[in-house]
């Protein structure tokens, strides 16, 4: 009973985060066929997130509130998601292009097999 409730709560949390958090929405858009080409520019966005996380630790070291560690972890997590999405999107793009090229070659062979040779008298 308790395990079921925890499982359902984790599913609802995941669904909420994927649907309403901007970074997750952007990563979902990058994972589509049209968005795979944006994986490398997303790595740059990840670098900005990581820079902001490093700046948060600098602020904390200079006397700001330690509650800023929550912002630090959020920025670090989002930055790592974007930095890792770059190579993943390249691998996915290579796989998709390979399958598309293979489908084109199969369709060309099928069209050539159905071609009718001219009749000579």
């Amino acid at each position: 009973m308790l395990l079921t409730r925890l499982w359902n709560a984790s599913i609802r949390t995941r669904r909420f985060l994927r649907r309403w958090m901007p970074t997750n929405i952007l990563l979902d858009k990058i994972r589509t066929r049209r968005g795979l080409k944006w994986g490398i520019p997303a790595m740059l966005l990840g670098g900005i997130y990581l820079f902001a996380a490093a700046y948060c630790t600098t602020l904390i070291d200079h006397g700001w509130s330690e509650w800023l560690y929550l912002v630090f972890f959020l920025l670090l997590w989002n930055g790592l998601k974007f930095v890792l999405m770059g190579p993943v999107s390249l691998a996915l793009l290579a796989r998709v292009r390979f399958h598309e090229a293979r489908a084109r070659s199969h369709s060309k062979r099928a069209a050539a097999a159905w071609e009718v040779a001219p009749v000579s008298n």
Side-chain angles (χ1 to χ4, degrees):
M1 177 93 138
L2 178 64
L3 192 58
T4 305
R5 286 184 184 177
L6 286 173
W7 186 266
N8 289 335
S10 69
I11 289 172
R12 287 188 182 108
T13 303
R14 180 184 179 275
R15 189 179 303 148
F16 172 78
L17 291 175
R18 285 195 58 120
R19 195 168 288 164
W20 295 104
M21 296 298 126
T23 56
N24 292 333
I25 293 169
L26 186 57
L27 287 172
D28 287 340
K29 299 285 185 191
I30 290 173
R31 285 187 199 104
T32 64
R33 171 61 181 100
R34 289 181 55 201
L36 287 175
K37 63 184 174 186
W38 293 102
I40 297 300
M43 286 180 68
L44 296 173
L45 183 61
I48 294 170
Y49 272 107
L50 293 176
F51 175 76
Y55 190 68
C56 281
T57 59
T58 304
L59 291 175
I60 293 168
D61 289 342
H62 284 51
W64 284 50
S65 173
E66 291 189 358
W67 282 98
L68 205 53
Y69 277 121
L70 294 174
V71 176
F72 163 76
F73 284 120
L74 181 67
L75 292 170
L76 181 67
W77 177 250
N78 288 330
L80 289 176
K81 285 193 300 188
F82 280 112
V83 167
L84 293 176
M85 191 60 204
V88 169
S89 71
L90 285 179
L92 291 173
L93 183 61
R95 185 179 70 171
V96 166
R97 287 196 177 171
F98 172 75
H99 288 300
E100 288 173 352
R102 190 170 60 176
R104 274 194 306 271
S105 69
H106 284 301
S107 65
K108 284 181 184 178
R109 274 192 238 137
W114 284 96
E115 235 177 57
V116 177
V119 178
S120 61
N121 288 344

